[in-house]
Amino acid sequence: MFHIHGEWKIEVHDNIVIQWFSGCWNEEAAIAYVKEFQAKTTPLKGTNWAIISLFEDWELGVPEIEKHIETHCEWFKANGCIKDCHIYSPSAAKEMQLERLIPHTDAFYERQVFTHNEDAVSWLASHGFFVDPLYVKQIEKK
């Protein structure tokens, strides 16, 4: 077992999960993150909810994280997540790994990628999920 490499923050704001990621992730980080995410979002189960994921400071992950992230994505879709926003500056490497791991839009779930927090917040608001863009920005700074 290795030490955790990679950082994250998860905050639940009403029916929106806002999360920030940093560093290069190893398998231990993915396992710990999934456990924390499920604990914090369990109260949302049975409702419709959304995720905002801030990937600007994330530096990819080792291949061993993939099985944990795929299972994690199945879990959140099965438990009410219907909208999902990824926010990061254009990056072919990030896009390649995230596109391979994260589910694509289907009849019950929609994911969009944005380069600015405000655009993601506006998109979510157009679907009935409301959060102040300044609150999203604060999570990056904490």
Side-chain angles (χ1 to χ4, degrees), residues 42-49 78-80:
T42 293
L44 298 174
K45 287 170 70 172
T47 66
N48 288 336
W49 47 283
N79 286 286

Side-chain angles (χ1 to χ4, degrees), residues 8-71:
W8 64 91
K9 295 177 205 162
I10 304 167
E11 294 193 15
V12 178
H13 180 76
D14 295 327
N15 59 350
I16 301 174
V17 178
I18 304 167
Q19 50 188 4
W20 167 86
F21 302 97
S22 176
C24 184
W25 279 40
N26 66 359
E27 185 175 20
E28 289 74 17
I31 292 167
Y33 156 75
V34 168
K35 183 177 179 180
E36 182 179 335
F37 183 95
Q38 289 182 0
K40 287 187 173 181
T41 59
T42 293
L44 298 174
K45 287 170 70 172
T47 66
N48 288 336
W49 47 283
I51 300 174
I52 297 175
S53 298
L54 304 160
F55 283 107
E56 190 64 32
D57 298 324
W58 183 63
E59 300 171 9
L60 306 178
V62 298
E64 291 80 11
I65 74 167
E66 294 181 9
K67 64 183 175 227
H68 302 288
I69 300 304
E70 289 168 355
T71 301

Side-chain angles (χ1 to χ4, degrees), residues 52-54 56 85-90 112-124 133 136-137 140:
I52 297 175
S53 298
L54 304 160
E56 190 64 32
C85 301
H86 291 180
I87 305 169
Y88 57 90
S89 297
Q112 295 287 326
V113 177
F114 299 94
T115 55
H116 297 94
N117 295 358
E118 297 79 10
D119 295 334
V121 167
S122 294
W123 179 74
L124 284 178
V136 175
K137 191 74 174 161
E140 293 177 302

